[in-house]
Amino acid sequence: AYRDSSGKPWVLPSVRAAEDVMLKANENKEYLGIDGDPAFVEKALKFAYGADAALDRIAGVQTLSGTGACRIGGEFLAQFYPGKPIYLPVPTWGNHHKIFAECGLDVQTYRYYDRSTNRLNLEGMMEDLRSAPEGSILLLHACAHNPTGCDPTVKQWGQLIELIKEKQHLVFFDSAYQGMRSK
């Protein structure tokens, strides 16, 4: 949670506005189906992949929290990509290691952040991802890397994409903070 200067949780104004809209619409409290609210999922997919994305080629489900999303994703990966290691950045969100290990995935790491420069360690990251077995699973933060806030530049993303394609790695994006990064 975001916190104020007193350490108390601070709710984003956009979240408060969404709550107001829901209250005024007199939404019911009916349980959703196992894959969530289809209209919400469709809008979320269009937000993430673009308005013109071929939604017939993309799967999505609504989950409870980032932990729930990672757990469902981890279970999917363990079932459909058995024996493939998952590589997590150093550092990463504290729950990532435990979630993916509990799913039965072989958790490995790659260099990401250089604390001595407070910058992305692109050279170390590229070296580690190049050394990973072909077809490995890579967890990447879509933006606002947690916990550093340090993201690759557009040029660096291009270099990473080329390496990922070359090595045929599978990317699992954690996009918990999509839209919350400032430049």
Side-chain angles (χ1 to χ4, degrees), residues 62-74 93 95-96 99-100 139 146 172-177:
Q62 184 177 357
T63 65
L64 293 173
S65 76
T67 300
C70 287
R71 181 62 189 241
I72 288 171
W93 179 44
N95 287 353
H96 279 149
I99 290 168
F100 293 109
L139 183 135
N146 182 3
F172 181 91
F173 278 109
D174 183 334
S175 57
Y177 300 105

Side-chain angles (χ1 to χ4, degrees), residues 101-141:
E102 287 292 322
C103 292
L105 293 168
D106 174 21
V107 177
Q108 301 294 320
T109 60
Y110 63 86
R111 287 173 282 178
Y112 183 84
Y113 190 70
D114 184 340
R115 292 187 191 279
S116 68
T117 63
N118 289 330
R119 300 229 186 282
L120 179 70
N121 179 357
L122 183 66
E123 186 177 312
M125 182 180 183
M126 296 283 285
E127 184 179 312
D128 291 349
L129 299 183
R130 190 172 283 108
S131 297
E134 188 168 296
S136 293
I137 303 163
L138 311 178
L139 183 135
L140 299 173
H141 296 245

Side-chain angles (χ1 to χ4, degrees), residues 4 7 9 12 21 26 36 45 60 72 76 82 97-98 106 112 114 121 132 134 140 148-149 157 166-167 176-177 183:
D4 64 18
L12 293 168
V21 167
N26 198 23
L45 290 172
I72 288 171
F76 176 88
H97 289 271
K98 184 168 175 110
D106 174 21
Y112 183 84
D114 184 340
N121 179 357
E134 188 168 296
L140 299 173
T148 68
W157 273 116
E166 174 189 319
K167 293 288 294 192
Y177 300 105
K183 290 188 176 198

